[in-house]
Amino acid sequence: MTKVHTANRLQGSMPKIAIRPVIDGRRGGIRESLEEVTMELARAVSGLLSARLRHANGLPVECVIADTCIGGVAEAAAAEEKFAREGAGVSITVTPSWCYPTETMDTDPFRPKAVWGFNGTERPGAVYLAAVLAAHNQAGLPAFGIYGRDVQDMGDTSIPDDVQEKLLRFAKAGLAAATMRGKSYLSMGSVSMGIAGCIADEPFFRRYLGMRNEYVDMSEFIRRMEREIYDPEEFVRALEWTRTHCREGEDVNPPALRRSRSQKDADWETVVKMALIARDLMVGNPALDRLGYGEEALGRNAIAAGFQGQRAWTDHYPNGDFMEAVLTSSFDWNGIREPYMLATENDTLNGVTMLFGHLLTDAAQIFADVRTYWSPDAVKRVTGYELQGSTAHGLIHLINSGPAALDGTGRMRKDGLPVMKPFWEITEEEVQACLEAVQWCPAVDFFRGGGFSTDYTTSAGMPVTMARINLVHGLGPVLQLAEGVTVELPDEVHRKLDERSNPTWPTTWFAPNLTGTGAFRDVYTVMNHWGSNHAAVSCGHIGADLITLASILRIPVAMHNVPSERLLRPSAWGAFGTEDTTGADFRACANFGPLYG
């Protein structure tokens, strides 16, 4: 298996970060004394971000520095013209000194923006920081304030660790917002089994994310399969890879409902074709143009998508589990590559949450049903086993009805812990370990058309964040999240609990971090406060990153267990209250409204 070169598979260039060095514009010695140190700060920030960040597709993050320091409105306008030409989607203003706020501030209404005011005494950038943030707040243009904890000397262009953390967090979240803008969510099918999250709420996508909605009926899969509108050479290669690496698991169906060997072989061919077709629908495929299908070759510029499946498709055709599991993984028959964000049952809201997690972590995401809270007493009653350690307070069974990204097996490693990695860090040995941890079980009886589900258990010890966006009438979108860790149970205990749900589906046992208060006073309360039947699971404790991104988009966060010192929101949020930061978040988001109006 060889690595696929990093590439932007969507239309539109990747957003860049605008670096705005602002300066006291007074000539005659003041500006002149600050020119070099101000531009050095800008170069230092650019160097940090370029060295530490990549886009989720693996391409390097580019920064664009204004040609001159910005001392007034004319230079601000000249810089803005350059940033627009270069495609800057995020801006960071830096200064070591006092400047004129309204003359130098970034006034683009849609661009996420932050200001680093140097903590010094000679020409205090912190004074400018406070003044320009006040101007942003008064103008209705929220900006993030970044202020180092310790005083630095004038001329010191090093970036303290606490400032680095905030710059990186803001920049990654800002890039996520900018990357989504102008892209599509593709619904392949419609509403699955009456799940409200499958309803594509176009005002939400347009006003909060800057995205458009595209729709394809599932009959398009039939048309493309029957007319062979897929790359025939790739199909042969994909089918051979699948036969080699995808180990078939136990068929748990009653004998009368089991499909014959010839039916299962045909199902494998169908599900591989479905994977090719879904990907081509999302991002296009030049090979289709060579086959005479120029329109189909273009795709829908979909940064995320969902497949309805149940029941209009699965009552007659093989299910979408293989398609969803393989596409959301970081590898397939073409090698190691960026995962696709594809939501089971076309749950658009979970698809968006997966997209958030992917753009923030650069890694694959697990789509999961939030299925069951197992209390210690219930586990002991059913299995005789007494939960202990990180599971002592109970655990939540995350188990999707068929597919999940193979990265979610936890067979990749970093610093001795199981992880899901950005694709460019994944080794061929780790790919093989993930494949060997999975069995593809013939679909159970309520998938009447057959197919194969993804059976694995996530390794213990992976720090993860479970998240979900919900839509509430009169309120709009609301984010909830829970940081915690994956756990494993003794094999026999796992088997007894797993079989009560479905032994052919992927399991992640999750223990949330508890705080002893509110929704996190115990594991039961976490489960009881979850706002939907689905969740997206990211590797790492990324709650603070999700909260920063949500504040950029003006999506309030109703439930989280992130320590307050890790939170980074726009400066204006503090004006809505400092004691109850959750309430202040709701009030600020309602006041400023969706990012795109």
Side-chain angles (χ1 to χ4, degrees), residues 185 195-199 204-205 304-306 341-358 365-370 400 466-471 479-480 530-538:
Y185 180 95
I195 297 172
C198 306
I199 302 169
F204 163 66
F205 279 91
M341 295 299 105
L342 180 57
T344 300
E345 295 155 1
N346 189 36
D347 184 343
T348 67
L349 298 178
N350 220 54
V352 168
T353 313
M354 292 172 70
L355 178 59
F356 284 9
H358 173 56
Q365 306 291 299
I366 299 173
F367 185 111
D369 281 4
V370 186
N400 196 24
M466 178 175 80
R468 168 76 185 188
I469 292 174
N470 298 298
L471 287 176
L479 177 68
Q480 57 181 168
W530 206 250
S532 176
N533 56 314
H534 290 153
V537 181
S538 304

Side-chain angles (χ1 to χ4, degrees), residues 14-82:
M14 301 308 297
K16 299 176 183 178
I17 301 176
I19 308 295
R20 307 177 71 255
V22 298
I23 196 168
D24 189 328
R26 291 174 288 183
R27 311 276 175 155
I30 296 178
R31 176 170 179 147
E32 291 83 352
S33 70
L34 295 167
E35 287 276 8
E36 184 57 29
V37 68
T38 303
M39 195 57 80
E40 274 299 311
L41 280 180
R43 287 192 282 263
V45 171
S46 175
L48 169 73
L49 301 179
S50 297
R52 296 280 295 275
L53 297 179
R54 285 202 203 187
H55 294 288
N57 59 18
L59 292 174
V61 168
E62 296 183 60
C63 296
V64 182
I65 303 176
D67 290 335
T68 69
C69 290
I70 301 169
V73 66
E75 289 164 320
E80 183 57 37
E81 191 277 333
K82 178 181 182 178

